[in-house]
Amino acid sequence: MDLKEYVFLGKELKDTYVVDVHIHVGGSTRYQKPGNDADSVVYTMDRVGVDVVCASCSPGAYCDWKWGNEMCADAHEKYPDRIKAYAVVNPHYTFDLDAYFANSDRFLGLKVIPFVQGTLPIDCPGLQPYYEYADKYGLPVLFHAWMASEVKDATAVAKRYPNARFIFGHSGFTAFEESVAACKQCDNVLLDTTISDTYDGALERLVNAVGVDRVAFGTDLTAFECSHILGRILLSRLSDTDKEKILGLNAKQFLKL
Amino acid sequence: MLNFIDARCQLGRRGIVREGEPVTKSDILELMDRCSIEKAIAYHAMAKEGDMKAGNDLLLQETEGDERFIRQWCAMPSTFGEFMGAEELAEQMKKHHVSSIRLFPKTHGYSVKPYAMGKFMDVMAQCHVPVFLTYAECGSEDNLYSLLSSYPEVNFIISDASYRENRKLFPLMEQCKNLLLGTGNFVVHGGVKLICDYFGAERMIFDTGLPMGSATAAVALICYAEISEEEKQLIAHGNIERLLADVKL
Ligand SMILES: [Zn+2]
């Protein structure tokens, strides 16, 4: 069965390995975020056929990182094969990352989103120790990379820390030129497909520009749905082989899952 | 397999086109075919962005003899001779097989309060003409409430509510039974099922916003919703078919 047929049947992707590199657990005071707990996430994963998600905690990004990171690690511990956890870091605080990563697989990598922490730049001094740590241990780092300036900063970080692996969230659709430049300059960069709203043809344009190996499925679940982004991939003009790379194979390799 | 009727499609040349975006009618038809969209309710870009009368005329030309598109005109409450009056509009719509109207109050610079909409809406109500507009074009939730509650007999299809609007949208849907939600960009986690559970599948109308919006995303949102086949059929085409069958021009 063609991958696109799954959409019309509303059928979960049973025989395709699917990894969502960018989701969120936890609520929001800013807007209603239904089904943001670990059980609801796994329920949705089963509904559409996602094997693994990589999650950070939204309230942990905005304020209490300690509470948020524990919540995220708990989600991983409840569903160790389905939910992987990013630890949110915050440039206003000092983190003992050994407490998170040494001799433990509670966390997969780091989530960096200084945009909601006083709109500090991604390349700010307060974050350098965490990039150094990621570089030393080859950890993945998920950036919130929306604006062109954020993507330029993220590119500078990716160049400086070549042993760390960086996922640029959103940027392939919001800062196209800068994202293409990042992929050309840095082998350790992957772009995700996370976007609430874009046009048909945007994904094909991105894949043509950076190559299919540099794009991975990401959705922002539970900040919003995941099925519409799945639809953009499954009903795109790409081949099923390319769709499978984006849906899971690229992330599997990049994140060493 | 679900067949869709898209309740929000724009034809014609627009000012801004992003690289790789559909442009021509055949680009749009290719996407409709790919996404199992049988028909689309279409207005003309010129009627939104350039000249309303010229755009509505262009729509008639572009859709002449084409059964894939259901004609929609852009309109505004006739303000001192600028646009045809409501009765003439209804006559012209009947003559040219135009079955619904789309409003752009924000873009076109007028108020949706009853003092400005007045007789125009009364005629739309008499003729059972469905009125389409986007959430953002209303300007505010209070404007939207004023419009919807002042004309309870008119069915309003409100589209492009984002995933951040539930706290404003849900009380509106509860109070105003004439608010039907366009599903295109309503990407709340489990949102389609939420609306079905709270308000019923009768309150949603499938739309895409093509060519600027995404048909592939809009279709998947309905297909993967955790609702019954009957509910999907209503959202995909049943509800809009019912509204259009009820038009009395
Ligand atoms: Zn995110």
Side-chain angles (χ1 to χ4, degrees), chain B residues 108-128:
Chain B
H108 296 162
Y110 58 86
S111 169
V112 296
K113 298 280 186 185
Y115 75 84
M117 299 304 280
K119 194 170 177 216
F120 177 81
M121 274 301 162
D122 293 337
V123 173
M124 294 303 118
Q126 278 162 26
C127 301
H128 300 201

Side-chain angles (χ1 to χ4, degrees), chain A residues 114-126:
Chain A
F115 174 71
V116 301
Q117 295 153 349
T119 55
L120 288 177
I122 276 173
D123 203 8
C124 67

Side-chain angles (χ1 to χ4, degrees), chain A residues 7-8 10-11 28-32 34-35 43-44 47 198-200 205 223-225 227-228 231-232 235 237, chain B residues 18-22 30-31 34-35 163 166-167 185 187-190 212 214-217 220-221 223-224 226:
Chain A
V7 179
F8 297 120
K11 213 172 147 35
S28 171
T29 50
R30 288 158 185 79
Y31 64 99
Q32 186 191 7
Y43 191 85
T44 294
R47 168 161 61 89
T198 190
Y199 60 95
D200 289 319
R205 175 197 188 203
F224 44 78
E225 249 296 333
S227 60
H228 63 297
R232 281 200 202 106
L235 295 175
R237 291 173 149 177
Chain B
R18 295 167 289 187
E19 192 185 322
E21 202 173 53
E30 186 277 321
L31 262 160
R34 199 183 334 149
C35 294
Y163 62 94
N166 287 7
R167 290 174 190 160
N185 197 28
V187 297
V188 171
H189 181 207
M212 299 82 77
S214 167
T216 59
L221 206 56
C223 289
Y224 275 116
E226 201 189 7

